[in-house]
Amino acid sequence: MITKTLADFTAALSYDKLTPVSIDMAKKCMLDWLGVSIRGSQEQPAKIIRQTILHSEAEQATVFDGSQGKASVFDAAFCNGSASHTLDFDDLHNPSIIHLATVVVPGVFAVAEAEHKSGKQMIAAVCAGYEAGGRIGESVIPESYFFWHTTGTAGTFGAAAAAANLLQLSSEQTLMCYGSAGTQAAGLWEFLKEGAMSKALHAGKSSYAGVLSAYLSRNGFTAASSILEGEKGFCRAMVQEPHWDRLTDGLDSAHLRIDENSFKPYACCKHAHAAIYAAQVLKQEHSLQAEDIAEVRLYVNDITDYLINNPQPQNPYGCKFSIQYCVSAMLGFGAVGIEQFAQDIIYDGKVRGLMAKTKVIRDAAIEKIHQEDASKLASKVEIVCNDGTVYELQVDYPKGDPDNPVTWDEAKAKFMHLAVPVYGQQQAGNLCRLIENLEECEDFAQGLAQCWKEG
């Protein structure tokens, strides 16, 4: 049974089985997630979700919105998961196209605080969640991606596997946890046409569903034992021909899916990052100014074309899913951070002028790269100058991918940039050090309490 094989593996995964690479990546994933969740908590979608669901008097786990307030373990996972997906600054596992931190880490933080788990247990749980979510996502990608947001669908399994591992559920309980998670999996792409808020809901709901599934299973709740491979199970519901081999082939703690994870230097859809990075390099190498440019050609794969080929986005979130805006922002502003998606910035005349000169070209050669290696979300950029000079660059691995990695210094700098405006220098620094040295923490609840006390 496929589901049982994967559930057995994630249930048995422990800190002492992890490689130094996986441990390091798990901590980077948690630090990156915490930063984007803290800053994302200030965005309107996250505020609406908190206002809507935080009515419980339970104070089990921290909601990272700057208030040090607490909620039930379920609601904390929901709120923090949603907040971490509002900026589109969160990590991505390229082969599965899942923002795994937004669904895996919120539940791990909430459960670890409520249940007084150690840092080593948290690290192992994050690795288990990334393994399940990444593998299940790969089994239905790219075919399901036209309709289904994989973070909301396969990501639910990642959240469930992590929570089950942290609660130390048995293999059989973990199998039931998978079943409950799979029946709650959802998330449709239709919202992108309007730049609506649904993406944050997908992450929060997936994290909530994963934690709920784990606690239900611990209390004896039963579910489908073949939720992945069953006739009416998840994989066949997503695609006609699932990639079954991705689910269990090569299960080995010596090389985990988390080792392949990518981080974002730009606050927008990951499918735009290769083109943005190419534009950044060309701009810097050739001292390009907006007024020098006559035309920009972006050669992209099929997913990038149908997902973010949006020549006239009408709001900040729509701009995050417009490759034309993102590349033009880099060429015009020299940066694509949170600030470049502010409401009073997105209609900048220089950037809109560049967008009008930008062509998106669905390219067979670029698509072939992705078909042959799903970890490569490649793009090629050609910039034609007014004097006829043409500069071009193809990028297979933009900054943040494992082959072009983020250092710990870069990870900490991003975290502090995001967290300091919400928590201040002292408390943000305390949180950063807690995560960087997480394996030394014996009780996460006490570790967090010390962060606030020293602030």
Side-chain angles (χ1 to χ4, degrees):
M1 291 174 59
I2 291 175
T3 310
K4 186 178 187 309
T5 299
L6 188 56
D8 287 348
F9 180 82
T10 60
L13 195 62
S14 58
Y15 182 85
D16 59 3
K17 295 179 181 178
L18 302 177
T19 67
V21 170
S22 295
I23 292 169
D24 189 66
M25 283 294 283
K27 293 193 294 181
K28 279 185 182 177
C29 291
M30 284 188 267
L31 183 67
D32 191 78
W33 171 82
L34 185 56
V36 295
S37 183
I38 288 171
R39 178 57 183 83
S41 71
Q42 308 304 297
E43 299 295 302
Q44 191 65 12
K47 290 180 179 179
I48 293 172
I49 286 172
R50 287 199 303 275
Q51 292 166 0
T52 304
I53 73 170
L54 289 185
H55 299 296
S56 169
E57 294 182 0
E59 294 186 355
Q60 298 173 301
T62 299
V63 177
F64 291 99
D65 62 350
S67 70
Q68 297 178 27
K70 290 188 176 184
S72 73
V73 66
F74 308 108
D75 290 347
F78 197 140
C79 290
N80 291 330
S82 297
S84 65
H85 211 28
T86 60
L87 298 174
D88 275 282
F89 215 173
D90 42 319
D91 72 1
L92 186 78
H93 179 248
N94 289 357
S96 63
I97 321 182
I98 302 179
H99 302 274
L100 284 165
T102 68
V103 292
V104 170
V105 184
V108 168
F109 270 48
V111 172
E113 186 176 1
E115 303 282 346
H116 297 273
K117 298 295 184 179
S118 72
K120 288 182 177 180
Q121 289 173 305
M122 293 171 69
I123 290 169
V126 167
C127 289
Y130 273 63
E131 193 69 12
R135 284 179 172 272
I136 294 168
E138 288 178 46
S139 76
V140 297
I141 285 295
E143 295 86 352
S144 74
Y145 205 65
F146 183 82
F147 295 106
W148 296 102
H149 180 203
T150 327
T151 301
T153 57
T156 307
F157 289 98
N165 180 283
L166 194 53
L167 289 173
Q168 298 178 288
L169 301 188
S170 68
S171 294
E172 182 61 27
Q173 288 174 316
T174 301
L175 183 63
M176 295 297 99
C177 178
Y178 274 45
S180 289
T183 205
Q184 299 178 77
L188 292 163
W189 280 119
E190 182 65 19
F191 74 92
L192 273 185
K193 292 181 180 180
E194 301 156 71
M197 298 178 179
S198 303
K199 202 160 184 272
L201 179 63
H202 294 174
K205 194 65 166 60
S206 292
S207 188
Y208 178 98
V211 173
L212 176 63
S213 298
Y215 277 98
L216 285 172
S217 185
R218 188 172 75 168
N219 292 332
F221 194 85
T222 62
S225 59
S226 300
I227 195 66
L228 295 176
E229 72 271 25
E231 180 185 5
K232 298 179 181 178
F234 175 83
C235 291
R236 286 191 172 95
M238 291 287 111
V239 296
Q240 287 187 335
E241 298 293 336
H243 307 287
W244 298 114
D245 60 307
R246 309 291 174 80
L247 291 165
T248 57
D249 281 7
L251 275 172
D252 185 354
S253 59
H255 179 76
L256 296 173
R257 291 304 194 261
I258 198 167
D259 303 343
E260 308 165 353
N261 203 53
S262 297
F263 301 95
K264 287 184 177 182
Y266 316 119
C268 60
C269 179
K270 184 64 163 61
H271 295 282
H273 280 222
I276 298 170
Y277 186 67
Q280 182 177 20
V281 171
L282 292 174
K283 177 180 174 66
Q284 292 173 348
E285 287 185 349
H286 304 289
S287 302
L288 293 174
Q289 302 299 315
E291 54 269 23
D292 300 329
I293 297 171
E295 185 178 15
V296 180
R297 304 179 192 132
L298 309 178
Y299 297 85
V300 303
N301 63 32
D302 292 358
I303 289 177
T304 302
D305 180 58
Y306 70 65
L307 191 69
I308 59 171
N309 181 356
N310 182 3
Q312 294 189 4
Q314 299 302 307
N315 55 41
Y317 207 75
C319 289
K320 290 174 178 287
F321 286 83
S322 165
I323 194 170
Q324 292 93 331
Y325 179 85
C326 294
V327 171
S328 297
M330 176 54 73
L331 292 172
F333 297 134
V336 187
I338 297 171
E339 297 78 9
Q340 282 69 48
F341 295 97
Q343 182 65 51
D344 60 344
I345 294 296
I346 61 170
Y347 283 100
D348 178 85
K350 178 170 56 179
V351 170
R352 290 285 166 163
L354 285 167
M355 290 172 68
K357 301 175 183 178
T358 300
K359 294 182 179 179
V360 177
I361 301 162
R362 185 175 174 179
D363 185 72
I366 296 296
E367 172 61 17
K368 184 180 179 182
I369 292 171
H370 185 242
Q371 290 293 329
E372 292 178 349
D373 185 348
S375 71
K376 293 183 179 179
L377 303 181
S379 292
K380 184 173 77 171
V381 173
E382 290 181 351
I383 298 177
V384 182
C385 296
N386 294 322
D387 63 4
T389 305
V390 179
Y391 300 109
E392 69 174 64
L393 179 63
Q394 178 179 310
V395 170
D396 291 353
Y397 295 113
K399 180 66 177 178
D401 277 1
D403 286 73
N404 192 359
V406 166
T407 66
W408 260 107
D409 284 344
E410 289 168 333
K412 290 188 287 187
K414 177 181 175 181
F415 173 83
M416 294 298 285
H417 176 72
L418 294 167
V420 168
V422 181
Y423 275 108
Q425 188 76 28
Q426 181 66 49
Q427 288 186 345
N430 293 342
L431 288 168
C432 185
R433 285 185 289 275
L434 173 64
I435 304 306
E436 187 176 11
N437 302 294
L438 192 59
E439 63 269 45
E440 300 173 9
C441 178
E442 296 298 326
D443 182 334
F444 186 60
Q446 290 184 6
L448 279 178
Q450 192 66 28
C451 286
W452 311 140
K453 182 178 179 181
E454 293 178 356

